[in-house]
């Protein structure tokens, strides 16, 4: 057991590589996503990039699972592939009523990268698959592009991180996935606006619809349901590319199950190296994880007691190069993380850690979530 931390300390119970670049026939593993099934099985998704570390080319969607809270893991298996094309951006969500695991993802041509997609010269499509046997097998993917992508959107990305199923209020049972897109104005990736948005399903994942759309310069996003039933949406700030002084995460809250987000704003505390981040509700506290050490390094966990209004507690998880991540809560109440990191580059491996938070004196640890 090791301890890392700032004002909040964490005890690390398990810390290992789940995917290592160059192993298993893949050049690079990227884009982690986590979920826990109704039976307690852990599913760790990622992209397996065969030809290089870039976002296009031959990319497969992979999963590993664990039935003992991450102590041992099954070998990686393929969830979806379409050689020689790109299949990625996994975003899983579990239906707690049926036990079905839904996975929404994207596809594009192996030689049709983001630049060509934004120029209107290559397609980017959205798909769904599901598993009824705890992730062992998956249904034949079905395309849902026409339901969740508007005609003037070029680039599109699901997640990449887990979605949520709403537990309270009039939208109880709704499945919600965080996404982003680029809207065609000049058909140019560098100048066309990015927007975060949500998609949702009210019929168990059969049909998906577009929900809230965030202001320009928002990008990859993460969503969590708060204890009062509101949704918290936290977005990568793409505007920081040209205005580094404004590089803070864009956040907002939804009181209608993700149909709208009231008064989005930059969070002055949440620095953003123009990178994905992940959030989760842990026993009534909101946790947020992203690189915060200057550039893509210094992976930092933050804890909020008031639904993301303030962030009084922090813990440094990985001091070196780090990038994308996802979070989940185990049945015993520990926090689990899957994140990109390395000694020299952020994309050397996907690392798995399980943590117990130890907040400062006077702050009670979050209760176990069941």
């Amino acid at each position: 057991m090791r301890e890392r931390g700032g004002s909040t300390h964490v005890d690390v119970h398990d810390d290992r590589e789940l995917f290592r670049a160059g192993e298993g026939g893949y050049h690079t593993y990227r884009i982690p996503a986590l979920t826990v099934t109704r039976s307690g099985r852990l599913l760790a998704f990622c992209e397996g990039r065969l030809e290089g570390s870039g976002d296009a080319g031959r990319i497969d969607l992979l999963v590993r699972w664990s039935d003992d809270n991450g102590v041992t893991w099954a070998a990686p298996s393929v969830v979806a592939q379409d050689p020689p094309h790109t299949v990625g951006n996994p975003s899983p969500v579990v239906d707690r009523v049926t036990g079905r695991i839904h996975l929404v993802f994207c596809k594009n041509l192996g030689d049709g990268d983001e630049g060509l997609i934004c120029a209107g010269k290559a397609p980017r499509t959205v798909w769904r698959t599901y598993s009824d046997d705890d992730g062992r097998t998956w249904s034949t993917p079905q395309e849902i592009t026409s339901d969740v992508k508007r005609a003037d959107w070029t680039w599109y990305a699901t997640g990449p991180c887990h979605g949520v199923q709403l537990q309270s209020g009039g939208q109880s049972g709704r499945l919600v996935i965080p996404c982003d897109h680029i809207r065609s104005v000049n058909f140019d990736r560098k100048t066309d606006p990015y927007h975060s948005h949500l998609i949702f399903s009210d019929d168990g994942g059969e049909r998906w619809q577009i929900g809230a759309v965030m202001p320009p310069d928002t990008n990859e996003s993460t969503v969590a349901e708060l204890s009062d039933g509101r949704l918290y949406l936290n977005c990568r700030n793409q505007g920081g590319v040209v205005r580094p002084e404004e590089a803070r995460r864009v956040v907002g809250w939804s009181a209608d199950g993700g149909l709208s987000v009231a008064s989005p704003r930059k969070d002055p505390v949440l620095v953003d190296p123009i990178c994905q981040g992940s959030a989760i509700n842990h026993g009534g506290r909101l946790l947020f994880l992203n690189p915060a050490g200057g550039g893509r390094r210094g992976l930092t966990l933050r804890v909020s007691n008031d639904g993301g209004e303030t962030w009084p507690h922090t813990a440094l998880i990985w001091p070196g190069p780090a990038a994308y991540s996802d979070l989940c809560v185990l049945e015993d109440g520990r926090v689990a993380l899957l994140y990109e990191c390395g000694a020299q580059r952020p994309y050397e491996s996907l690392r798995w850690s399980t943590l117990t938070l130890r907040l400062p004196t006077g702050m009670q640890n979050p209760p176990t979530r069941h």
Side-chain angles (χ1 to χ4, degrees):
M1 183 181 298
R2 294 181 290 122
E3 180 180 281
R4 304 184 185 123
S7 62
T8 296
H9 294 280
V10 294
D11 291 326
V12 181
H13 303 277
D14 193 9
D15 193 8
R16 69 180 69 184
E17 291 179 343
L18 279 194
F19 300 90
R20 178 74 184 179
E23 297 180 354
Y26 291 93
H27 180 281
T28 302
Y29 298 94
R30 285 211 57 198
I31 320 300
L34 282 174
T35 197
V36 181
T37 72
R38 192 170 62 172
S39 72
R41 170 173 285 179
L42 293 167
L43 299 178
F45 299 90
C46 72
E47 295 180 2
R49 303 185 172 188
L50 278 89
E51 300 166 350
S53 60
D55 294 339
R58 166 74 186 276
I59 297 177
D60 297 340
L61 192 52
L62 309 177
V63 69
R64 297 187 72 175
W65 66 73
S66 172
D67 291 323
D68 54 12
N69 282 334
V71 177
T72 60
W73 292 85
S77 60
V78 175
V79 175
Q81 60 183 186
D82 187 15
H85 304 306
T86 298
V87 181
N89 272 85
S91 189
V93 62
V94 176
D95 189 321
R96 297 292 166 184
V97 177
T98 66
R100 175 169 285 184
I101 307 149
H102 301 272
L103 185 69
V104 185
F105 61 94
C106 292
K107 294 172 64 173
N108 57 261
L109 301 176
D111 59 359
D113 62 14
E114 188 171 348
L116 290 173
I117 294 167
C118 292
K121 298 179 179 179
R124 176 76 165 176
T125 53
V126 191
W127 299 73
R128 75 175 184 98
T129 183
Y130 62 84
S131 174
D132 289 326
D133 58 6
D134 262 11
R136 290 184 178 273
T137 61
W138 296 85
S139 67
T140 300
Q142 295 182 322
E143 187 174 356
I144 59 171
T145 308
S146 61
D147 296 326
V148 298
K149 185 179 180 183
R150 294 175 181 161
D152 64 341
W153 295 0
T154 52
W155 176 255
Y156 194 105
T158 46
C161 60
H162 67 276
V164 297
Q165 183 180 40
L166 305 191
Q167 304 296 314
S168 60
Q171 297 82 27
S172 178
R174 173 174 290 176
L175 306 174
V176 181
I177 299 287
C179 302
D180 67 88
H181 65 273
I182 293 178
R183 184 167 54 86
S184 57
V185 176
N186 304 311
F187 288 94
D188 175 48
R189 177 186 177 187
K190 294 183 179 179
T191 60
D192 281 351
Y194 284 81
H195 294 262
S196 304
H197 71 278
L198 298 173
I199 63 174
F200 68 93
S201 174
D202 286 332
D203 61 0
E206 290 297 319
R207 293 174 297 176
W208 292 85
Q209 304 176 60
I210 299 169
V213 177
M214 294 288 276
D217 287 339
T218 52
N219 193 341
E220 293 160 330
S221 56
T222 181
V223 65
E225 185 180 20
L226 304 177
S227 299
D228 61 9
R230 291 180 303 155
L231 284 176
Y232 170 78
L233 185 62
N234 183 307
C235 310
R236 169 173 166 169
N237 182 358
Q238 200 65 23
V241 171
V242 294
R243 299 183 296 276
E245 70 280 1
E246 298 181 13
R248 297 293 186 271
R249 303 287 295 187
V250 178
V251 301
W253 293 261
S254 173
D256 56 13
L259 300 182
S260 64
V261 174
S263 303
R265 61 173 175 83
K266 295 183 181 70
D267 188 316
V269 174
L270 300 183
V271 297
D272 186 4
I274 325 302
C275 185
Q276 181 261 12
S278 51
I280 199 164
N281 183 338
H282 179 213
R285 291 197 175 93
L286 184 63
L287 310 185
F288 176 70
L289 182 68
N290 82 324
R296 293 190 173 186
R297 62 183 304 111
L299 192 72
T300 300
L301 181 70
R302 299 181 187 271
V303 183
S304 173
N305 303 311
D306 53 14
E309 296 286 352
T310 61
W311 300 92
H313 314 296
T314 63
L316 180 64
I317 302 300
W318 185 268
Y324 287 36
S325 65
D326 203 4
L327 295 158
C328 70
V329 179
L330 306 182
E331 291 188 314
D332 62 7
R334 284 180 293 157
V335 180
L337 293 65
L338 184 64
Y339 54 97
E340 300 174 343
C341 68
Q344 304 298 323
R345 300 178 64 249
Y347 317 119
E348 295 171 14
S349 70
L350 294 183
R351 197 165 195 89
W352 164 264
S353 296
T354 61
L355 315 173
T356 298
L357 302 180
R358 292 193 292 111
L359 300 179
T361 302
M363 295 302 302
Q364 188 178 17
N365 278 328
T368 300
R369 173 183 159 186
H370 297 285

